[in-house]
Amino acid sequence: MKKIGIIDYGMGNLHSVENAFKYIGADCFISEDKAELSRADGLILPGVGAFPDASERLNALSFPEFIKEETAKKPLLGICLGMQLLFEKSYEFRECEGLGYIKGSVVRLKAGENDKTYKIPHIGYNALKSVNPSPLTKDIPDGSCFYFVHSYMGQCLDRSQLVSVTEYGEEVTAIVSSGNVYGTQFHPEKSGDTGLKLLSNFVELLG
């Protein structure tokens, strides 16, 4: 059975992600040890909190270099803040460098500024609209709903890296991909059966 390593860098809802993978029968573990994580067949980069804090912790633990080496060989899925970290930079609180896999920047949602019916943070289920095909969304119908909790979003400059979007008073990046690197702004582990299907699709990527 293929193993999934969940990267523990001190910022993430690690156990809910672990439980979701275990529910679908996947073999997964949580670790901050690079040697152990390197033996996994696929990696998860979770994240809850602020981009600058997450970026500082990743750099302090030398994870950017490790992730670059590992994603040359195996798939990685960034979830929520973990997806935002895949972008080139963020403007949450201050300008901050990201991992640089996805062209573009992370910016604050504008919907609440234009129409007060849109609350920030954006919390709840939203339907996805497909932009480009991806193995991550295999057998998931267009319009399927996933659970979002965020105040910032990635602005994807290269539409070829954009898999799906949603609408929240503006177009919001929902899924991105570049090579072996994938990211979801929403929480698949909190999105019911549809979210579990997406996680199962990720497991299938491991071969």
Side-chain angles (χ1 to χ4, degrees), residues 31-39 61-64 66 70:
S31 181
E32 60 182 15
D33 182 78
K34 296 182 186 67
E36 185 178 15
L37 289 166
S38 69
R39 292 191 288 271
L61 295 167
S62 300
F63 268 121
F66 170 79
E70 293 300 304

Side-chain angles (χ1 to χ4, degrees), residues 95-189:
E95 185 174 340
C96 185
E97 294 299 312
L99 295 172
Y101 294 98
I102 304 297
K103 293 180 180 178
S105 304
V106 176
V107 298
R108 185 169 174 82
L109 291 167
K110 297 185 179 68
E113 301 171 7
N114 303 329
D115 184 342
K116 298 305 179 185
T117 60
Y118 291 98
K119 305 298 183 186
I120 306 296
H122 168 212
I123 301 175
Y125 281 87
N126 266 66
L128 300 196
K129 178 183 177 183
S130 177
V131 177
N132 288 299
S134 168
L136 207 59
T137 54
K138 187 184 76 168
D139 297 329
I140 297 176
D142 220 23
S144 295
C145 292
F146 292 85
Y147 186 74
F148 290 78
V149 182
H150 63 124
S151 299
Y152 286 77
M153 70 167 187
Q155 286 185 321
C156 194
L157 295 181
D158 183 349
R159 296 290 287 191
S160 71
Q161 295 182 322
L162 190 58
V163 175
S164 298
V165 297
T166 190
E167 290 290 330
Y168 192 69
E170 60 185 316
E171 184 179 270
V172 175
T173 298
I175 305 177
V176 294
S177 74
S178 176
N180 279 335
V181 175
Y182 301 83
T184 66
Q185 178 61 68
F186 52 84
H187 288 274
E189 78 281 5

Side-chain angles (χ1 to χ4, degrees), residues 81-101:
L81 176 58
M83 183 204 86
Q84 294 179 4
L85 288 164
L86 302 177
F87 281 78
E88 293 173 306
K89 63 178 63 178
S90 169
Y91 292 97
E92 184 174 2
F93 301 124
R94 59 180 173 83
E95 185 174 340
C96 185
E97 294 299 312
L99 295 172
Y101 294 98

